[in-house]
Amino acid sequence: MADRQDVSHIVPLDSQPDDAIERLLDAAFGTDRHGRTAYRIREGMPWLPALSFAVVDGDGTLIGSLQSWPVALTQADGRQLPLIMVGPVAVAPAHQQDGHGRAMMDAVIAAARALHTEPLMMIGDPEYYGRFWGFSDEGTGDWDAPGPFEKRRLLALSVDGRPVGGVGMLAPRIAVAA
């Protein structure tokens, strides 16, 4: 019998059961993850299916997920500059260091560019996310967040070349009906 090669595939995250996603996030980040600043920034927002991905193994088991969220930089006058928050990027502990997180990041960057989305932002490691995808803290120096964070880890990426900036508090995006 030939050795079976491990194969994984990137699929839309909405193809995966919600409970499987939650179990993966608990395994990757712990059950206390809901108190983190990133959760407060996107509180009450649904993740964006067109910019959220999963990795499944050859048996169809979920081993990675990446969610993207509609958020905004809320200025002092209440106006919001729309952003898309990337993360969490979660990979099952047994499959970390296999390139799955990087593949999902490649997928979200490509999708955001193809869709000409708002700038992407995240709370992450600037050395890693800057090196591979160009995320930086340039333009985020006057951003604040509803909870503890390190300024240098507040990162942004323009997907269309326009500068990223502004002054305000990161918060869920408010939908306004005309």
Side-chain angles (χ1 to χ4, degrees):
M1 179 191 246
D3 289 338
R4 181 177 169 262
Q5 281 190 331
D6 288 331
V7 177
S8 62
H9 304 279
I10 294 181
V11 297
L13 185 58
D14 61 3
S15 70
Q16 301 302 300
D18 290 340
D19 62 329
I21 297 167
E22 290 301 311
R23 282 193 308 272
L24 174 66
L25 291 170
D26 285 347
F29 299 111
T31 56
D32 62 344
R33 62 189 160 84
H34 297 280
R36 293 181 177 189
T37 299
Y39 280 80
R40 295 173 67 188
I41 293 170
R42 62 180 187 256
E43 186 174 15
M45 295 286 95
W47 45 269
L48 301 165
L51 297 171
S52 298
F53 298 93
V55 176
V56 296
D57 67 14
D59 296 325
T61 302
L62 179 66
I63 59 173
S65 73
L66 180 152
Q67 295 167 310
S68 296
W69 308 83
V71 300
L73 183 68
T74 304
Q75 300 172 65
D77 64 4
R79 287 183 301 134
Q80 290 197 318
L81 300 173
L83 301 165
I84 294 173
M85 184 173 201
V86 177
V89 180
V91 177
H95 297 279
Q96 292 177 358
Q97 305 298 318
D98 291 343
H100 301 303
R102 187 168 177 182
M104 289 186 292
M105 283 297 300
D106 287 345
V108 75
I109 302 289
R113 286 188 172 136
L115 294 169
H116 307 285
T117 70
E118 296 90 352
L120 304 179
M121 62 81 47
M122 66 178 356
I123 299 174
D125 178 16
E127 293 78 16
Y128 180 75
Y129 291 101
R131 176 179 169 205
F132 292 109
W133 299 284
F135 279 87
S136 79
D137 63 357
E138 186 176 324
T140 68
D142 290 325
W143 293 8
D144 200 0
F149 69 99
E150 294 177 57
K151 280 268 192 204
R152 69 179 215 80
R153 293 176 53 85
L154 197 54
L155 308 174
L157 175 69
S158 173
V159 297
D160 62 6
R162 287 181 290 173
V164 176
V167 177
M169 175 69 73
L170 291 164
R173 194 182 302 178
I174 297 170
V176 179

